[in-house]
Amino acid sequence: MSKMDRRDFLKTTAAVAAASAAGLSIPSELKAASQNGEAGWQWDKAVCRFCGTGCGIMVATKDDKIVAVKGDPEAPVNRGINCIKGYFNAKIMYGADRLTEPLLRLDDNGNFSKNAPFRPVTWKRAFDEMEKQFKKAYNELGPTGVAIFGSGQYTIQEGYVASKLVKAGWRSNNIDPNARHCMASAVVGFYQTFGIDEPAGCYDDIEITDTVITWGANMAEMHPILWARVSDAKLNNPDKYTIVNLSTYSNRTSNIADMEIIFRPNTDLAIMNYIGREIVKRNAINWDFVNKHTIFTTGTVDTGYGMRNPAKAKKLGYSDKEMQTIKKEDAKLVTKEEGVALSGIGKWKAGDEMKMTHNKGHAPFFHWQITFEDFKKAIEPYDLDYVVSVAKGDPDESDEEFAKKLQKLADLYIENNRKVVSFWTMGFNQHVRGSWINEIVYMVHMLLGKQSLPGSGAFSLTGQPSACGTAREVGTFAHRLPADLLVANPKHRKITEKLWKIPHGTINPKVGSHFVKIMRDMEEGKIKFAWAQVNNPWQNTANANHWIKMARTMDNFIVVSEVYPGVSARVADLILPVAMIYEKWGAYGNAERRTQHWRQQVTPPGHAMPDIWTMTEFSKRFKLKEVWKAWPKQKLPSVLEEAKKMGYSEDDTLFDVLFNREEYRKQFPWPDPIAKNPNTGKMHKNTEAAGDGREIMGEDGNPFNGYGFFIQKAMWEEYRKFGIGHGHDLADFDTYQKVRGLRWPVVNGKETKWRFNVEYDPYARKHAKPGEKFAFYGPLLKKIKIGDLKAPIASKGKVNLANKAKIFFRPFMVHPEDPKYDKDGYNFWLCTGRVLEHWHSGTMTMRVPELYRAMPEALCYMNPKDAKNLGVKDGDLVVVESRRGKVKVRVETRGRNKPPRGLVYVPWFDEKVLINKVCLDATCPMSKETDYKKAAVKIYKV
């Protein structure tokens, strides 16, 4: 080894790791060289920091630093391989500009000033200012005047602590994760269709199926490890295994696809209805499945586009150009093609004004049972000729060729013995009708009886590492509580209050502000304190010019917990330096319901501390009498007397009541044997439990030496009580330290691969009638009205849908900024998204030299013919301008993404090309998820 240089050593260890992952024998000399080079290393299992795939990795540490990362050969998701980002999980932690101490805007006299520069302060000084500014907003506006921007990248325990602090402590529901931006439409689709959240299938479907159909899911770049499994399955069975990629532009997922279908933005609804119509016309309905397990359903159409109220926008000074789009939130003219799409309903025709009478509150969610004959009538207009006329996305493709593809697509779904999996991500979810398209992909699968079966089903792929495990399952949304409980449901609040041991009536019954609405509320002065955690709201939210201006010029106080100085940190008033993934204990839940835990591997740098600690320390600043008193404006009663009956004092702090209970200290002591490394027997650190050897001062200015108990384990064991016996069962904390994840529900130690199927799901067996194969046992939204295609009919009463799912009809509607109807020169579609090399806003990955060199800047992917017409070539700077803002970006016509004429693709990882200044903040009216995939822009050379 003394003769082996670093380059040879890296090559050797890489070769050994690759051979091990592939199951190959390793020459003894090579193995010995690798082992000698790893002397003093401690390996442990962990989870990748990036996407929702949930890859397992192995992390090596030495001298309190991570020195190597490799794929975990025992991880069933990725089987020993990583994508390009996964191999740099360590390097994201060691950027030169890592934030290591609190930074507060201070003037020369040491006082906070919104226009002052950042200066380093102690944690106590940071918490002092936080408390002052929080209580100023809280006492002026009440519990609705404060908010947290949460995250699908929280660990499960972090999300649980945040939700408990906001909902049980502050009595607010203004906590919403950036998962609202990526998965909320999928959630609504699950709730509306099945009455319970999260996919029925699992990744095993990839190898079992005959057909993978991707809808708005560039899996090759966004879920590359899953795509590697798809590719492997295709190569092993090239004749039978079929791949179809549906997208608004050509991308790498098409490289091995048997068929690529480029469609016009928003017309996926028309295509899906065409397939439904074909199923009906060909007598291909699986009537046994449909009659036993489903009903037909429809809902309100005139729901708006999730934009600001036009009158309010005008009052706030939105420009005339912006108002051209925003006014459609109140009303719009029905286009000729919409007239056809809606003709089965019989309520609107081309040229009519559609007033958005169901765009507020719960109105967009209204739905009711219809007959099969009604359903058949509704989809009748979606014949091949009509759908070709509205949906063809490539103007250079012939109608005949596009028609053949649609027919082939229907053939694949309908073929009797063919297994089919539909995968989708942001193309469906980031959509002004995202909830609708999520609902009707299930329509296709359930008409055919190809749902909840090994190798057949509709499968929503998650974007973030714990959008499922934390944002959704924990309930860190403005409307949710753990395990599919809802804040608006009195019974659910009571269950939660009992488990949290807080007085009945503590939890606010009113749904809080969703992510975009928090921004809008801040712009209106309704929220004056906001805390961003594990995400970058001022880069990731559409219409960013408004929010950046609001942050820097209005009377508010913004706290950003961060690891690097990104856009949100730079607009903040206080920056809190926080620990990164392997500098703390944690858990994530991935897209196939697999929950995975990891141990703390290393110490955070400088004075950076875990997010849990920032919240639990801040909770010490609140006495019960300050938060559990009466709030007349919010109609919240005082619960102090009830608290006293429970043994609490009004001078107890939220820390005492929520996070430092005596039973936690007794039941979850530290040290804990589970913290021993399985390979070396050494104890892993736990910064929150016992400190970590650094001199860290707590919120009181005294040295912090830990809480004295295993707080992460205590929070886990309390949290899992919500799901046990309710279809969300999770295993105990210690079990997850020993396994490579388990797919919930975990019952009697056994995971569940396919939900709702009695052969695999214990809850389906519990609920199914004798002899039946399925039970769609989700409890939500299972008592609905009965009507026709226009509306529910009161005289028909309601129907109870126990153990049944819903087959929806939802119509195609034109996007409010479709360039086809634009008269002001905004004649291009803009689509945004990610790239393989970078994660989200690039805050971490742009600091990895190898990833930066591979993709140093965002590009404007453009059709060569459009470039020629604009007089630009590759590398030229152009302006991409919408009604909201503009950016400069370089043109690329020969890259990985190949748009059709009339569409450009600009990824959002590059803060120097802050494309969200251009994007429209329209959302799905149901899910409140932003449509980042569609905006009208004009493009011209700089």
Side-chain angles (χ1 to χ4, degrees), residues 145 176 209 212 280 337 349 439 659 700 718 936:
D176 213 55
T209 194
V212 166
V280 172
E337 52 193 358
K349 60 183 184 299
E439 290 167 346
F659 307 119
D700 57 1
E718 180 179 276

Side-chain angles (χ1 to χ4, degrees), residues 621-632:
R621 297 296 183 106
F622 301 93
K623 293 183 177 181
L624 297 187
K625 63 186 178 185
E626 296 177 285
V627 290
W628 285 4
K629 63 183 182 181
W631 295 96

